[in-house]
């Protein structure tokens, strides 16, 4: 479940607002499950999942009360769906197997952001809810590289991405996190790059953010995580 409490700016555990052009996101991240303690590392530096097995280790929880801020579930069509229902809140689902901070993260993505500011994508070097790097596809048809440091989100680079209908994105994204460099590539050939200093450690996984009124939903498939070192 997306089921952490709201925290206002000034709280000891609170986070600050962030602005990415006309898309003000609040860097309140919601960790979907803590799976690392029971799942072994992938062999040969690679982990792949087509989501056909609902026991492969991802968080699998529906929203069943008003306290839950969203859900992340395996679908009947062998995909993985993440849907936030709390405005401007990141939901993060860590991959069930991890390969460190020097990685390539890949997945097919269909995002429906509706009329709101929703987005979805891939994260790496996720150390805690206030510190991670990501490639995020937005409903306005833009792919951005972003970093979140001490709760502040910053857009580093961006470019146009495939949009089937207004408010949606249908593509495959590769996020590479290597040294102090981030890069993202889409199936259609867009490549964006940026520097992002910080510890080369943390988890990799899937990311979503949205608005309750917009009905944001992200569907992922064919996930692949590879070690670069």
């Amino acid at each position: 479940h997306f089921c952490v409490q709201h925290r206002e700016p000034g709280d000891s555990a609170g986070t600050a607002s962030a602005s990415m052009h006309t898309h003000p996101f609040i860097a309140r991240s919601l960790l979907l499950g803590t799976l690392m303690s029971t799942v072994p590392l992938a062999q040969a530096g690679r982990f792949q999942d087509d989501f056909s097995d609902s026991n492969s280790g991802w968080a699998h929880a529906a929203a069943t009360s008003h306290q839950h801020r969203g859900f992340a579930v395996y679908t009947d069509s062998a995909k993985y769906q993440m849907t936030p229902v709390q405005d401007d809140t990141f939901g993060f689902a860590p991959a069930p197997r991890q390969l460190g901070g020097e990685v390539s993260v890949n997945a097919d993505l269909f995002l429906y952001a509706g009329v709101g500011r929703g987005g979805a994508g891939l994260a790496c070097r996720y150390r805690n809810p206030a510190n991670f790097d990501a490639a995020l596809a937005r409903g306005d048809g833009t792919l951005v590289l972003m970093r979140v440091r001490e709760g502040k989100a910053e857009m580093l680079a961006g470019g146009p991405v495939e949009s089937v209908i207004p408010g949606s994105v249908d593509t495959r994204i590769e996020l590479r996190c290597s040294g102090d460099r981030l890069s993202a590539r889409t199936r259609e050939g867009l490549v964006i790059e940026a520097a992002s200093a910080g510890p080369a450690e943390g988890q990799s996984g899937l990311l979503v953010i949205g608005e309750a009124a917009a009905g944001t939903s992200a569907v992922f498939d064919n996930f692949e995580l590879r070690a670069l070192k």
Side-chain angles (χ1 to χ4, degrees):
H1 303 302
F2 296 10
C3 53
V4 299
Q5 297 178 344
H6 273 303
R7 301 187 187 276
E8 299 301 326
D11 274 357
S12 60
T15 52
S17 297
S19 177
M20 302 201 314
H21 293 292
T22 59
H23 295 251
F25 293 160
I26 298 174
R28 298 187 182 106
S29 295
L30 307 172
L31 183 61
L32 299 181
T34 302
L35 306 172
M36 293 304 299
S37 60
T38 59
V39 180
L41 293 177
Q43 299 299 314
R46 176 175 296 188
F47 168 68
Q48 295 175 287
D49 195 352
D50 63 5
F51 302 110
S52 60
D53 178 4
S54 61
N55 295 311
S56 64
W58 296 84
H60 184 52
T64 57
S65 83
H66 70 280
Q67 295 179 333
H68 298 147
R69 307 304 185 189
F71 61 86
V73 296
Y74 294 83
T75 70
D76 292 339
S77 58
K79 300 181 189 301
Y80 192 71
Q81 181 178 2
M82 297 176 67
T83 302
V85 295
Q86 182 61 54
D87 289 358
D88 298 331
T89 302
F90 287 112
F92 173 67
R97 298 179 182 177
Q98 297 289 325
L99 295 169
E102 301 276 335
V103 293
S104 167
V105 194
N106 301 259
D108 296 333
L109 167 66
F110 180 79
L111 165 70
Y112 178 73
V115 297
R117 300 189 297 266
L122 310 172
C124 67
R125 299 175 177 177
Y126 186 102
R127 298 179 295 284
N128 55 55
N131 294 278
F132 59 90
D133 296 324
L136 190 77
R138 305 189 312 208
D140 63 358
T142 304
L143 179 71
V144 300
L145 281 172
M146 59 177 290
R147 64 183 172 201
V148 178
R149 295 290 185 270
E150 302 304 322
K152 296 181 180 180
E154 178 185 0
M155 190 184 82
L156 304 174
V161 68
E162 183 77 10
S163 182
V164 180
I165 57 175
S168 74
V169 170
D170 184 8
T171 191
R172 181 171 181 82
I173 302 172
E174 177 188 11
L175 169 65
R176 291 176 65 92
C177 308
S178 179
D180 64 354
R181 302 294 299 176
L182 300 177
S183 66
R185 179 188 305 270
T186 68
R187 179 175 57 213
E188 296 75 29
L190 172 69
V191 178
I192 52 178
E193 299 179 320
S196 181
E201 59 187 33
Q203 294 181 306
S204 301
L206 306 175
L207 196 70
V208 71
I209 189 170
E211 289 185 309
T216 301
S217 180
V219 177
F220 298 91
D221 200 3
N222 299 314
F223 179 87
E224 180 181 10
L225 177 64
R226 291 187 293 110
L228 296 179
K229 289 187 177 181

